[in-house]
Amino acid sequence: MKFSSPVFSLGLLASSVGAIQVNFDSDESIKAAASTVAFGLARFYTGNNTGDTPGNLPDPYFWWEAGAMFGTLVDYWFHTGDDSYNAMTTQALLHQVGDDRDYMPTNQTRTLGNDDQGFWAMAAMSAAENNFPNPPPDQPQWLALAQAVFNEYVDRWDEEHCDGGLRWQIFQFNAGFEYKNTISNGCFFNIASRLARYTGNQTYADWAGKVWTWLEGHELIDSEYNVFDGAGIVDECATHDKAQWTYNAGIYLHGAAALYDYTNGSAKATWQTRIEGLISRTREHFFDKDTGILVERACETFGNCNNDQQSFRGYLMRWFGAAMQLAPFTYDTLMPILRTNAAAAARQCTGSPPASQYRGPPGTACGFTWTGSFDGLVGVGPQMSALSALQYTLIKKADTAVPATALTGGTSVGDVNAGARDEEKLVTFDPITMGERVAAGFATSAIALSLIAAVVFMMRDETEIEVRMEKLEGEKVVKWGV
Ligand SMILES: *[C@@H]1O[C@H](CO)[C@@H](O)[C@H](O)[C@H]1NC(C)=O
Ligand SMILES: *[C@@H]1O[C@H](CO)[C@@H](O)[C@H](O)[C@H]1NC(C)=O
Ligand SMILES: *[C@@H]1O[C@H](CO)[C@@H](O)[C@H](O)[C@H]1NC(C)=O
Ligand SMILES: *[C@@H]1O[C@H](CO)[C@@H](O)[C@H](O)[C@H]1NC(C)=O
């Protein structure tokens, strides 16, 4: 299913006065809306243009967000059957694997965080679960790619500080090495849970349990199922950055649902309780009481969500979808929420920005906020989030089209020994650049440290935390810009 451009434009002209109309009782209607939004999303991508690098989004998008986008497109194909973007997705997912087939390509490795790597690994895991067409046998395979990243996370588990947990950054010379963040550990938890379910290998489930226990022990997930951003090792993770982001709640929800599906008996009951807790707290905290619309509270309220943050709500929608598939008891709760938000998202996809900002057809650009009409804030994050809200409403109750496992038709080939050691990567860095980076790293780490220390005195409200987050993000911008 692929639109030829003239038909596409005519169809849009005919309905350009209104927003994208969706009838949620009709799969065809949902698919048509999703295809319009997906087309606009794909037009942000330049990596398949001659001379450009497959897998990369143009500035200002960071590498990780491209991984998130291809993960979304893998699911887009699974739920809609539209294979228009499969070729470019396969090309991107394979081009970025790196020499060690672990999503640490040389161009990114030095500045890579565990979370950056994780979003690509989760895309590969989705490809395995969805039976996305397998690469030729001489190429890396989806399952083995996810296992490679899992194995590296295991190596990086750091018991020296805070009794465990993954640090945000992989290498010491990067700002954020002193910070254990919930999203990096969430990537570990999410991938480990899904590997357990896919392969039936209990080792993965044990690691997932260990990550969850560590987060609970340090109250990064508290007894009310608030999921906080992270903690610095400066005081052994005693002090938290209490900002809450939609994607942090979602990434654990998905992993918990995979473990709910995988386990039996009392373990299943435990994961059910956790799923219910996460959903209940997520609804309370992130969804507007009156309208039921999802709000990225920590920044949307202040109108200052950065590019990364503008994409987070889409992942919550993605992981609501996964929860409905893997833990069907959540369906009756989650589907109405998804539909409300998909309708709100579609309603505001009416923008006609200049081609320098949006290359989809006029009248189809999605803005960021779903609480009103088109807000003019266009980009990969807003477009991808609207697509996610729409495409996961295609999931059916007690669907038979659930993510596959090795026992239920999954065909991706794994390798339990995939991955490489970080020390080996370090020695491949050019020594001069390495020296410069270590020098620069101390300066930036000091700044990050003082910021994390400052949060001790600044935990009064989310605005202040947000200011700090912006600074940390700024650090990351500098880091990536080098
Ligand atoms: C890149 O991929 C998109 C989506 O499949 C396609 O429309 C476009 O023609 C491709 N561009 C090139 C140069 O291949
Ligand atoms: C790394 O960057 C070079 C130069 O821009 C590019 O040619 C190459 O394709 C990139 N490799 C990856 C894996 O992105
Ligand atoms: C759960 O029970 C089923 C059915 O008895 C069994 O096949 C499966 O191996 C069990 N799973 C685990 C993780 O013990
Ligand atoms: C299970 O996974 C662990 C961790 O990667 C691995 O060491 C072990 O060999 C796997 N077991 C089987 C039977 O594949």
Side-chain angles (χ1 to χ4, degrees), residues 51-56 63 94-98 105-108:
D52 211 323
T53 302
N56 284 355
W63 183 75
L94 292 179
H95 193 78
Q96 291 297 328
V97 298
T106 313
N107 292 345
Q108 311 292 343

Side-chain angles (χ1 to χ4, degrees), residues 219-236:
E219 294 193 332
L220 285 166
I221 300 177
D222 74 6
S223 56
E224 287 165 5
Y225 293 94
N226 292 299
V227 185
F228 300 122
D229 184 75
I233 67 169
V234 61
D235 63 356
E236 289 297 317

Side-chain angles (χ1 to χ4, degrees), residues 114-404:
N114 281 304
D115 45 1
D116 303 307
Q117 189 186 18
F119 272 84
W120 284 88
M122 288 188 290
M125 191 68 220
S126 297
E129 292 167 337
N130 289 347
N131 268 324
F132 194 73
N134 288 316
D138 63 331
Q139 295 288 304
Q141 303 299 307
W142 309 131
L143 178 61
L145 285 162
Q147 287 170 311
V149 176
F150 168 87
N151 288 339
E152 293 178 6
Y153 284 164
V154 168
D155 283 347
R156 292 177 200 144
W157 185 257
D158 167 45
E159 304 214 325
E160 219 176 288
H161 296 282
C162 320
D163 316 308
L166 280 185
R167 295 163 182 259
W168 175 16
Q169 295 300 317
I170 297 167
F171 297 111
Q172 198 171 352
F173 48 81
N174 285 323
F177 187 68
E178 315 294 332
Y179 190 62
K180 297 203 169 172
N181 66 343
T182 301
I183 193 65
S184 290
N185 286 284
C187 291
F188 191 8
F189 176 74
N190 184 291
I191 292 164
S193 304
R194 293 160 72 186
L195 283 174
R197 178 181 171 276
Y198 190 98
T199 64
N201 183 332
Q202 181 62 29
T203 307
Y204 298 121
D206 292 344
W207 269 102
K210 188 166 168 162
V211 178
W212 181 282
T213 303
W214 179 78
L215 277 129
E216 265 190 354
H218 289 269
E219 294 193 332
L220 285 166
I221 300 177
D222 74 6
S223 56
E224 287 165 5
Y225 293 94
N226 292 299
V227 185
F228 300 122
D229 184 75
I233 67 169
V234 61
D235 63 356
E236 289 297 317
C237 298
T239 313
H240 298 67
D241 177 334
K242 291 209 162 183
Q244 294 197 55
W245 302 102
T246 51
Y247 75 156
N248 275 328
I251 203 166
Y252 289 90
L253 175 63
H254 180 190
L259 290 171
Y260 169 85
D261 187 48
Y262 170 67
T263 51
N264 294 312
S266 68
K268 197 181 205 72
T270 300
W271 289 111
Q272 173 160 353
T273 304
R274 290 168 175 171
I275 289 166
E276 287 165 350
L278 284 170
I279 290 176
S280 154
R281 186 62 193 131
T282 297
R283 291 179 72 184
E284 257 169 37
H285 186 74
F286 291 111
F287 291 85
D288 183 88
K289 301 264 177 308
D290 300 323
T291 61
I293 305 290
L294 180 57
V295 178
E296 193 64 75
R297 297 247 177 248
C299 60
E300 191 171 337
T301 321
F302 312 105
N304 65 351
C305 297
N306 66 23
N307 269 322
D308 288 349
Q309 295 157 353
Q310 284 173 28
S311 71
F312 291 174
R313 293 168 311 154
Y315 315 133
L316 182 63
M317 298 291 92
R318 187 201 290 187
W319 294 322
F320 270 17
M324 292 192 297
Q325 291 176 303
L326 299 171
F329 72 87
T330 65
Y331 188 94
D332 290 341
T333 305
L334 295 181
M335 185 52 91
I337 301 175
L338 259 174
R339 283 191 175 190
T340 299
N341 281 276
R347 213 177 292 132
Q348 55 82 42
C349 292
T350 57
S352 306
S356 59
Q357 290 171 35
Y358 180 75
R359 285 190 294 273
T364 68
C366 303
F368 171 59
T369 56
W370 295 345
T371 50
S373 51
F374 176 68
D375 65 5
L377 215 54
V378 293
V380 171
Q383 197 74 19
M384 173 162 57
S385 298
L387 174 60
S388 294
L390 281 164
Q391 71 188 14
Y392 298 110
T393 64
L394 287 163
I395 293 169
K396 299 287 175 292
K397 192 167 185 175
D399 214 328
T400 45
V402 294

